[in-house]
Amino acid sequence: AVTAVLTLGLLPVLERISGITTPMHLLELASPDQPLMRELVSKAPGTYSHSVIMGNLANAAALEIGADAQLARVGSYYHDIGKIKRSSFFVENQPSGSNGHVNLKPNLSALVITAHVKEGVELAREYHLPQEVVDIIRQHHGTSLVRYFYARALEEGGGADAVSESRFRYPGEKPQSKEAALVMLADAVEAAAKALEKPTPVKLEQLVKSLVEERLEDGQLSESNMTMG
């Protein structure tokens, strides 16, 4: 019994020295009682709900392809913690009829949206999350386009020649692991599925295929070691 207690007490120290995150630590991080999870529930409940559903999707997909299912789940739980800072600007946290972007120019809206990645990384470091989870937070949008606000800017700004697409892209980096790629895909699928009218298995399968193809064509999965079978 004493040996077990001493071993458990040494694990966090050994993790920090070796840089290896144990399954036990990931299991602890998945608990809703974790301080950062409690803050997410309190300040961005819609984001928390989205992240838990995502965790189930990413976990199941990771088991299918032999990736680290527990890391994919925990990465999903924490991927959007940066939204704590300005939760009301994200649709899943907005009460019906309320939209913080109404009086903002599209480029400012895109800045607010993309900033949640950097702010998430900062929070993750402040709360000493493992590097693998920090990496997923940083990589879960890659360099993808904030399409809604880019389209609005095109409408308001006179077309593609007058609007720089790069100002509407996340700063990156692209997913560097299978787990980060799965979190990216689960994020897109969960959000899009909620907006699907009269969903059926066929419609959902078509949606998933189109979202995966869109990210493949945009080069977002090119550095993730993910193979499409």
Side-chain angles (χ1 to χ4, degrees):
V2 172
T3 305
V5 170
L6 289 173
T7 302
L8 286 171
L10 281 171
L11 277 175
V13 178
L14 294 173
E15 273 191 16
R16 280 198 293 275
I17 294 169
S18 66
I20 297 167
T21 305
T22 62
M24 188 177 295
H25 190 189
L26 288 173
L27 198 60
E28 288 170 1
L29 288 173
S31 168
D33 291 327
Q34 285 292 319
L36 203 45
M37 284 291 96
R38 286 205 305 268
E39 200 171 345
L40 188 63
V41 170
S42 168
K43 294 182 179 175
T47 298
Y48 174 74
S49 175
H50 156 72
S51 300
V52 170
I53 296 167
M54 259 184 68
N56 293 334
L57 292 173
N59 180 274
L63 289 171
E64 283 294 316
I65 66 169
D68 187 331
Q70 204 168 15
L71 177 58
R73 182 184 292 278
V74 172
S76 297
Y77 285 2
Y78 287 88
H79 80 290
D80 268 349
I81 52 169
K83 291 183 179 180
I84 287 170
K85 299 279 188 180
R86 281 182 282 268
S87 62
S88 63
F89 283 93
F90 297 89
V91 65
E92 67 269 22
N93 300 308
Q94 291 168 354
S96 181
S98 170
N99 186 343
H101 295 279
V102 169
N103 297 315
L104 292 184
K105 293 285 187 187
N107 61 316
L108 287 177
S109 287
L111 276 174
V112 170
I113 295 296
T114 56
H116 84 272
V117 172
K118 178 174 176 286
E119 288 163 349
V121 168
E122 288 167 358
L123 271 174
R125 287 189 171 139
E126 184 185 327
Y127 282 79
H128 307 293
L129 296 188
Q131 186 60 45
E132 295 98 319
V133 177
V134 177
D135 289 341
I136 287 174
I137 294 167
R138 183 188 295 108
Q139 296 164 12
H140 79 275
H141 279 296
T143 58
S144 60
L145 187 65
V146 186
R147 293 180 183 277
Y148 176 78
F149 292 111
Y150 178 61
R152 258 188 56 187
L154 290 177
E155 284 175 18
E156 295 176 16
D161 292 339
V163 178
S164 170
E165 185 184 285
S166 62
R167 295 181 69 186
F168 291 85
R169 283 191 175 272
Y170 283 90
E173 58 197 18
K174 294 177 182 179
Q176 301 294 303
S177 66
K178 290 179 181 178
E179 293 78 16
L182 289 174
V183 171
M184 170 184 273
L185 295 172
D187 191 13
V189 166
E190 197 281 334
K194 280 191 296 199
L196 202 62
E197 286 187 23
K198 297 180 181 176
T200 65
V202 171
K203 278 187 180 178
L204 285 167
E205 187 175 348
Q206 288 171 343
L207 176 71
V208 171
K209 280 183 178 176
S210 70
L211 289 168
V212 172
E213 284 168 6
E214 191 178 87
R215 275 145 192 80
L216 279 169
E217 287 168 12
D218 197 31
Q220 297 305 318
L221 305 178
S222 60
E223 299 170 19
S224 68
N225 294 320
M226 180 90 83
T227 56
M228 296 295 157

